[in-house]
Amino acid sequence: MELAAGGFSEEQFWEACAELQQPALAGADWQLLVETSGISIYRLLDKKTGLYEYKVFGVLEDCSPTLLADVYMDSDYRKQWDQYVKELYEQECNGETVVYWEVKYPFPMSNRDYVYLRQRRDLDIEGRKIHVILARSTSMPQLGERSGVIRVKQYKQSLAIESDGKKGSKVFMYYFDNPGGQIPSWLINWAAKDGVPNFLKDMARACQNYLKKT
């Protein structure tokens, strides 16, 4: 499998695009978890970890694909609109741009942090303009673990965005992480059922404010 810059393969970008056209839910035990505000969330049990992988499909109205991708990639701006960000920045490590992200967890649990690679590609597929963003955890000596914060070592995400044919965006997102430690089941369920839709709504709102600030 040939890797593009950033350690991601061409196939991974195309797979994310394909999910926008035809969700790949057959042949595995994907379960519909929730449908709300035009967003559908499916989950699949990862038997190795006992955790779930998630796929999210939906439409964000009044938020263009390019704007949505720009907002998602803007780490400095995200610190303004995402209430769960404790720290977020990019750093050059060994010739690669690496993202450091610390997430606030409710008391008495420890915060989690991530070190990951991220790459965006703007693709043209038979006249369809699709923005794809891939991310996966990595390890860098320059960004070692911090006291009192649990490092998430298994994290991967893909996001594909295209026009909904109107003024909004059609979105596909795949997400998996292993937060480590003892996470109560209520928090995991909340994160999937409420956290993801709320995040997408917050991001759509952030798009409108992004236009105002620029």
Side-chain angles (χ1 to χ4, degrees), residues 4-145:
F8 299 101
S9 70
E10 291 292 329
E11 183 180 351
Q12 287 172 306
F13 284 98
W14 287 99
E15 284 175 353
C17 290
E19 292 263 18
L20 271 176
Q21 183 74 20
Q22 181 64 49
L25 299 169
D29 296 324
W30 286 97
Q31 302 171 337
L32 178 62
L33 182 65
V34 65
E35 284 184 309
T36 177
S37 304
I39 303 295
S40 299
I41 303 174
Y42 294 81
R43 71 179 184 180
L44 175 68
L45 180 64
D46 180 71
K47 295 179 181 178
K48 290 182 180 179
T49 62
L51 300 169
Y52 286 95
E53 302 173 66
Y54 295 94
K55 287 184 178 182
V56 182
F57 304 90
V59 171
L60 296 182
E61 299 177 353
D62 300 319
C63 188
S64 72
T66 300
L67 177 60
L68 188 59
D70 288 346
V71 168
Y72 187 84
M73 292 292 290
D74 191 331
S75 298
D76 286 335
Y77 183 49
R78 183 166 177 174
K79 288 183 281 189
Q80 299 177 35
W81 62 265
D82 187 344
Q83 62 180 315
Y84 297 104
V85 171
K86 168 78 181 215
E87 193 172 354
L88 179 62
Y89 60 86
E90 297 178 5
Q91 180 173 322
E92 290 295 319
C93 296
N94 305 332
E96 292 184 301
T97 301
V98 179
V99 181
Y100 175 84
W101 176 33
E102 182 179 343
V103 180
K104 299 175 187 175
Y105 267 57
F107 180 83
M109 288 178 286
S110 300
N111 287 354
R112 266 57 177 177
D113 68 359
Y114 300 71
V115 174
Y116 62 95
L117 298 171
R118 181 176 66 177
Q119 187 184 3
R120 170 180 171 176
R121 297 275 297 276
D122 299 330
L123 305 175
D124 191 318
I125 301 174
E126 298 178 351
R128 294 165 59 206
K129 186 175 182 180
I130 302 177
H131 306 282
V132 180
I133 301 165
L134 303 180
R136 66 170 175 83
S137 53
T138 188
S139 176
M140 292 288 174
Q142 301 95 319
L143 295 167
E145 297 185 30

